[in-house]
């Protein structure tokens, strides 16, 4: 039995161990590189971590934003890759942030924002219309620049507070607000506040009411 367990352990370690085989009693060094891949079941389409999805108004196209990708992937209803919208850079129709957030539609206009708060407008065919940079400061201590959630009919924009993972793990950030901002990036008011504790998430509205649900 002891020999069988020893052979199994060495086989498992050989998958991730780097460098020459360690001598008896020497510590084994490992190099673990986590990789998360998403895509079609048959493996024909591989994606990075998906940040958001949005259907076109006619529901004939699916727009996908991915972590670390400075453009939107456009898919057909059958899941075939059609094209991409936008690219990295600082010019018209380009994104300077490391990734784009979830795309949104207002009529036939597609809104796409990156983590540097650059908002780019495209038409339904993916042609560039215009863009602007919303100079919105972090909405609280230990927070990062807020994420743009959606355009509002009255010309304002809904944004969500954001924070780094370590700030959340360390308990420095326990609440993240949803606020409305004007065209110049000024905060108008707080729409709601989201709190997380363990496996539960609660939403509090300005009038003091709230709801709790599983996270």
């Amino acid at each position: 039995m002891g020999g069988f367990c020893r052979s199994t352990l060495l086989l498992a370690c050989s998958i991730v161990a780097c460098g020459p085989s360690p001598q008896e009693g020497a510590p084994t060094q490992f190099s673990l590189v986590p990789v998360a891949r998403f895509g079609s079941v048959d493996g024909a389409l591989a994606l990075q971590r998906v940040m958001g999805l949005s259907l076109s108004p006619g529901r004939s196209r699916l727009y996908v934003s991915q972590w670390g990708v400075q453009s939107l992937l456009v898919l057909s209803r059958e899941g075939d890759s059609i094209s991409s919208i936008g690219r990295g850079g600082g010019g018209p129709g380009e994104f300077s942030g490391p990734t784009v957030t979830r795309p949104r539609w207002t009529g036939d206009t597609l809104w796409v924002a990156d983590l540097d708060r650059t908002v780019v407008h495209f038409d339904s065919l993916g042609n560039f219309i215009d863009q602007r940079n919303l100079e919105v400061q972090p909405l609280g201590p230990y927070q990062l620049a807020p994420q743009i959630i959606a355009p509002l009919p009255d010309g304002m924009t809904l944004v969500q507070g954001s924070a780094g993972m370590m700030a959340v793990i360390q308990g420095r950030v326990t609440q993240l607000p949803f606020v409305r901002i004007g065209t110049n990036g000024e905060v108008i008011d707080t729409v709601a506040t989201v709190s997380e504790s363990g496996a539960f998430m609660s939403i509090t509205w300005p009038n003091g009411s709230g709801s709790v649900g599983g996270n």
Side-chain angles (χ1 to χ4, degrees), residues 84-125:
S84 63
I85 296 178
R87 62 182 181 180
E94 298 178 340
F95 301 99
S96 57
T99 189
V100 297
T101 59
R102 179 179 176 181
R104 306 283 179 165
W105 289 91
T106 53
D108 291 332
T109 301
L110 178 63
W111 278 54
V112 189
D114 63 19
L115 294 184
D116 281 351
R117 296 155 291 176
T118 297
V119 183
V120 185
H121 299 150
F122 301 94
D123 64 18
S124 58
L125 298 178

Side-chain angles (χ1 to χ4, degrees), residues 138-145 162-168 170-173 176:
L139 302 176
Y142 301 106
Q143 290 194 31
L144 306 175
S162 64
M165 183 179 297
M166 289 306 300
V168 176
Q170 295 171 359
R172 296 185 176 185
V173 176
L176 291 172

Side-chain angles (χ1 to χ4, degrees), residues 117-161:
R117 296 155 291 176
T118 297
V119 183
V120 185
H121 299 150
F122 301 94
D123 64 18
S124 58
L125 298 178
N127 299 313
F128 171 76
I129 299 176
D130 59 27
Q131 70 185 55
R132 61 182 174 139
N133 183 35
L134 295 178
E135 296 293 341
V136 187
Q137 299 302 314
L139 302 176
Y142 301 106
Q143 290 194 31
L144 306 175
Q147 295 182 12
I148 296 172
I149 299 299
L152 301 176
D154 54 10
M156 290 188 286
T157 306
L158 180 66
V159 303
Q160 175 190 3

